[in-house]
Amino acid sequence: VAILDTGIDSDHPDLAANLGDGRAFVKCRGKNCNHPWDDDNDHGTHCAGIAGALDNDRGVQGVAPEVTLHAVKVLDKRGSGSFSDIAAGLEYVADQDWDVASMSLGASSGSRTIRDACSYANNNGVLLVAAAGNDGPCSDCVGYPAAYSEVVAVSSTDSDGARSSFSSTGPGVEIAAPGGEIYSTVPGGYDTFSGTSMACPHVSGAGGVLMADGSSNTDARSALTSTAEDLGLSSNEQGNGLLDVAAAVGLGSSD
């Protein structure tokens, strides 16, 4: 699972053993940059923990605790990035034959550069997952790249199953996942964040499990959406429903 974000903390005890190769399109800046792809913010590390923190009896455990996490640093220490760097990151993931590109990032408008990179990665077998955005409530405001047809757009729910108030909605939403008050890894420790950024890596981790078991990107996408739990929300809010990892991997519903 490639985390296209601000990087991943290479020293974190919940993550270090699961880290694979990384690549920086924006270099890490600061005193804790052991690698160019290290996290000089905290956002990428938080997302990485949700997707694949170790099962080590401490801290947190990710959706896929045995997954290999690849840091693809496309956002700087302020959490900002360019379309060209994000597109280059996507193309790099595809060229490495990595399974999943997790994108907890977005913009209100699209880019031909990003669209072409999404098409390239999707055609080369990468499962593309992205945060729907935090512009809710709205009628149709799913951000990009989540709004592209090649990408699984993930909205956010709270612990009570309601749509998170901040979550973007619209016909582009494909699946929902927990995004309200999520506790996960950050450089040097742990913290609680909220956002569709937190919902996205739940789905990415589950996709990584499916593809490790031999599913193609299209098969994994179908399994994730067809087994999602109907929360009784509109399709613009939940898409096909709430992510059910156990059901998606054939272990029965988590209920």
Side-chain angles (χ1 to χ4, degrees), residues 133-142 163-170 236-237:
N134 302 326
D135 293 323
C138 55
S139 59
D140 184 4
C141 60
V142 174
R163 178 186 64 85
S164 301
S165 60
F166 53 77
S167 184
S168 292
T169 58
N236 277 12
E237 295 176 299

Side-chain angles (χ1 to χ4, degrees), residues 123-220:
N123 291 339
N124 281 276
V126 181
L127 176 64
L128 304 175
V129 185
N134 302 326
D135 293 323
C138 55
S139 59
D140 184 4
C141 60
V142 174
Y144 294 85
Y148 292 133
S149 61
E150 297 90 346
V151 183
V152 179
V154 187
S155 64
S156 172
T157 58
D158 293 333
S159 59
D160 61 359
R163 178 186 64 85
S164 301
S165 60
F166 53 77
S167 184
S168 292
T169 58
V173 171
E174 191 160 338
I175 195 168
E181 297 292 315
I182 304 299
Y183 187 68
S184 185
T185 50
V186 294
Y190 307 88
D191 206 346
T192 300
F193 296 162
S194 295
T196 57
S197 284
M198 287 61 254
C200 172
H202 281 90
V203 178
S204 302
V209 173
L210 288 164
M211 294 187 72
D213 286 341
S215 294
S216 67
N217 60 337
T218 53
D219 289 342

Side-chain angles (χ1 to χ4, degrees), residues 25-26 74-76 80-89 105 111 113-114:
F25 294 89
V26 180
V74 295
L75 303 180
D76 63 23
S80 299
S82 68
F83 285 142
S84 59
D85 284 337
I86 296 167
L105 49 80
S111 153
T113 301
I114 295 288

Side-chain angles (χ1 to χ4, degrees), residues 129-130 132 152-157 172-177 199 203 221 223-229 235 237-244:
V129 185
V152 179
V154 187
S155 64
S156 172
T157 58
V173 171
E174 191 160 338
I175 195 168
V203 178
R221 185 174 186 174
L224 291 167
T225 55
S226 65
T227 59
E229 176 190 357
S235 60
E237 295 176 299
Q238 68 170 10
N240 290 275
L242 179 67
L243 172 70
D244 188 333

